[in-house]
Amino acid sequence: MQINRRQILGGAAASAASLSFPALVQAKAASAHVVVVGGGFGGATAARYLRQFAPHIQVTLVEPAERFYTCPFSNLYLAGLRSWDSIGHDYDGLRKAGVNVVHARADNVLGDAKRVLLSNGQALSYDKLVLSPGIDMRWNALEGYDEAASQLAPHAWKAGAQTQLLKKQLQAMPDGGKFVMVIPANPFRCPPGPYERAAMVAHYFKQHKPKSKILLLDDKDAFSKQGLFMQGWKALYGDMIEWVKQADDGKVTHVDAKNLEVESSFGTKHKADVLNVIPPQKAGFIADRAGVTDASGWVPIKPENFESTRVKDVYVLGDATIAAPMPKSGFAANTQGKVAAAAIAAELTGQPLPAAAFANTCYSLIGTDYGISVAGVYRSTAGKLIEVPDSGGVSPMDGNAAFRKAEADYGAAWYKAISADIWGG
Ligand SMILES: Cc1cc2nc3c(=O)[nH]c(=O)nc-3n(C[C@H](O)[C@H](O)[C@H](O)COP(=O)(O)OP(=O)(O)OC[C@H]3O[C@@H](n4cnc5c(N)ncnc54)[C@H](O)[C@@H]3O)c2cc1C
């Protein structure tokens, strides 16, 4: 029998279908082992959905952290609108779904031998390997900004100790202080993220330090949902937030973390009370070790299944990939994880490759009752990822207060739903 995409994407239908596979196919799948590296948005999704689509396949998820803290809603944590605990998720739900979870780091991939070497000394053999390692920072790509500097001027672009450090610094800042954020050129993780962060820090300042200012120094001239952000900033925070585009001297070329000072390409110096530097990025290091990155530091993939174009049987998801026009978002990584899981399940059980379709919505919160969004649907056509014409778009500029409140509520519902979908809660 053939499984169509609808069956493969519907968990119950996929489980039922798997029961009727011929014995030979079941036996082949039963001995198959898929190793997934990275228990974030892409990897944890792929691991869970592989078990759902083909319960006979053994799935091992490799992730160092016992609790994963999400970047989504970490800006709300900075604002005081979410507790730290509420953005953390453990792996019990994945274990219950039959995924073997190993808390270790993958240190190397031996592609020819099809083995992954772990920090705990284990070596895992695989039939298929999925990598969803997220991003690493390009230390020193921005002069003066290395790992030591991030302890003084945090990036807070991976949720964890960095996010908590930035929050402590904001809390310690006197009223009337200046928060400076350095924003990189594209591509980088979460295109609307810096601008949501500006709004959430402004929300916190408005409550606790209303004389303070926010300066955004940007290495580009336009950004995601720009008109909506600027409208919302003005409406809720007046002149508190100033955005400087690249053409107006926004590009930072040097960071002096000790003195909390940055210098622009025009030679202008800015002194901060709290300095948040979001540096240029690349795919997580294991992608490089697996030999799947190109000269850009990111990973080219086949859009129909997210298999690497460079190394067979290695699939790469999420922020690490070159998947434009899809953004580097958690939602995108989640749909890519489902597409790759369906493709791997189909291949390991001798079924045809299902058609690939992807979606994304990025909600951003500007104030407690003020949300905005951008959405899109994407398809793989003739070896390319394309955005389906007229499939999405951004919130209307003339949305009224009820509309903005509804989008804030949808954003909270999205977070709850995607957390349950990936980690089980
Ligand atoms: C401030 C901010 C706000 C954001 N808000 C949103 C939002 O509202 N909506 C949205 O959709 N997206 C949002 N994002 C983007 C989202 O966080 C990322 O796009 C998403 O996390 C990408 O998923 P991923 O699987 O590629 O990486 P991640 O989710 O980062 O997961 C990577 C995992 O791999 C693990 N790992 C790395 N290397 C190894 C290794 N060698 N061995 C084992 N494990 C390894 C890491 O520990 C990590 O757990 C936001 C990002 C930021 C910074």
Side-chain angles (χ1 to χ4, degrees):
M1 67 165 286
Q2 287 204 345
I3 308 177
N4 64 30
R5 180 182 158 74
R6 227 151 137 217
Q7 284 170 311
I8 254 194
L9 286 182
S15 311
S18 68
L19 295 175
S20 58
F21 283 160
L24 189 64
V25 170
Q26 279 197 29
K28 191 180 160 208
S31 65
H33 185 209
V34 179
V35 174
V36 179
V37 172
F41 280 82
T45 301
R48 177 184 285 279
Y49 275 80
L50 268 163
R51 291 287 306 161
Q52 202 166 309
F53 295 154
H56 303 288
I57 295 173
Q58 289 179 58
V59 180
T60 302
L61 175 68
V62 181
E63 162 62 51
E66 294 195 6
R67 202 169 163 78
F68 179 84
Y69 289 90
T70 62
C71 283
F73 280 40
S74 65
N75 288 330
L76 281 65
Y77 161 76
L78 295 177
L81 296 174
R82 279 268 170 164
S83 71
W84 183 242
D85 211 41
S86 74
I87 59 168
H89 306 276
D90 65 28
Y91 290 93
D92 291 350
L94 281 149
R95 286 195 180 88
K96 275 194 204 115
V99 176
N100 175 33
V101 181
V102 178
H103 288 301
R105 191 183 58 240
D107 281 338
N108 213 344
V109 174
L110 310 178
D112 291 342
K114 291 188 137 186
R115 281 155 80 85
V116 185
L117 308 183
L118 307 190
S119 54
N120 64 6
Q122 252 184 298
L124 299 175
S125 298
Y126 63 81
D127 295 288
K128 303 274 187 189
L129 175 65
V130 178
L131 302 177
S132 194
I135 54 159
D136 274 349
M137 305 305 156
R138 285 179 185 274
W139 302 122
N140 286 314
L142 174 53
E143 197 181 81
Y145 196 69
D146 57 13
E147 198 163 2
S150 75
Q151 297 308 310
L152 302 168
H155 53 75
W157 220 240
K158 289 186 184 189
Q162 280 276 303
T163 323
Q164 292 180 300
L165 174 62
L166 180 58
K167 179 153 180 169
K168 274 198 198 107
Q169 292 182 344
L170 290 167
Q171 285 171 331
M173 193 188 92
D175 189 10
K178 195 191 234 183
F179 172 62
V180 177
M181 194 193 302
V182 177
I183 305 172
N186 293 321
F188 69 105
R189 160 175 281 184
C190 193
Y195 315 98
E196 181 191 61
R197 176 170 291 174
M200 291 291 91
V201 171
H203 173 84
Y204 168 71
F205 284 170
K206 195 174 166 184
Q207 319 287 310
H208 302 283
K209 313 174 185 208
K211 289 187 269 179
S212 307
K213 290 280 179 207
I214 298 174
L215 177 65
L216 309 179
L217 298 171
D218 210 330
D219 194 1
K220 52 186 149 356
D221 289 333
F223 61 87
S224 173
K225 295 181 267 188
Q226 182 170 343
L228 288 159
F229 270 115
M230 290 184 128
Q231 184 188 54
W233 290 345
K234 188 94 195 144
L236 299 186
Y237 309 114
D239 294 328
M240 188 184 271
I241 303 172
E242 183 190 355
W243 174 67
V244 185
K245 64 182 176 186
Q246 196 219 48
D248 291 343
D249 198 17
K251 183 182 172 68
V252 167
T253 50
H254 182 80
V255 176
D256 175 353
K258 278 199 189 91
N259 292 311
L260 299 182
E261 197 172 80
V262 297
E263 188 173 338
S264 74
S265 57
F266 296 9
T268 314
K269 290 190 174 170
H270 300 275
K271 175 103 178 92
D273 293 286
V274 175
L275 179 59
N276 175 204
V277 178
I278 305 166
Q281 299 149 28
K282 60 184 177 180
F285 77 92
I286 196 68
D288 217 19
R289 306 241 169 118
V292 292
T293 50
D294 71 10
S296 71
W298 303 105
V299 179
I301 44 81
K302 299 177 192 168
E304 65 273 19
N305 58 1
F306 273 65
E307 187 180 17
S308 154
T309 57
R310 304 195 150 209
V311 183
K312 193 173 155 30
D313 293 327
V314 178
Y315 296 71
V316 189
L317 309 172
D319 290 357
T321 62
I322 300 168
M326 292 191 86
K328 295 189 187 300
S329 79
F331 195 132
N334 173 255
T335 65
Q336 292 162 8
K338 290 173 188 174
V339 165
I344 293 169
E347 199 172 315
L348 289 174
T349 53
Q351 304 297 309
L353 184 70
F358 309 85
N360 179 64
T361 304
C362 283
Y363 293 100
S364 301
L365 200 68
I366 298 184
T368 32
D369 289 335
Y370 198 121
I372 56 171
S373 67
V374 55
V377 176
Y378 307 85
R379 198 174 285 146
S380 155
T381 308
K384 278 197 167 156
L385 269 175
I386 56 146
E387 182 162 2
V388 176
D390 302 323
S391 63
V394 296
S395 318
M397 282 297 283
D398 61 357
N400 62 17
F403 195 95
R404 302 287 186 238
K405 159 98 173 72
E407 291 223 280
D409 293 344
Y410 297 153
W414 167 79
Y415 185 84
K416 205 170 164 197
I418 201 163
S419 302
D421 185 44
I422 298 176
W423 297 280

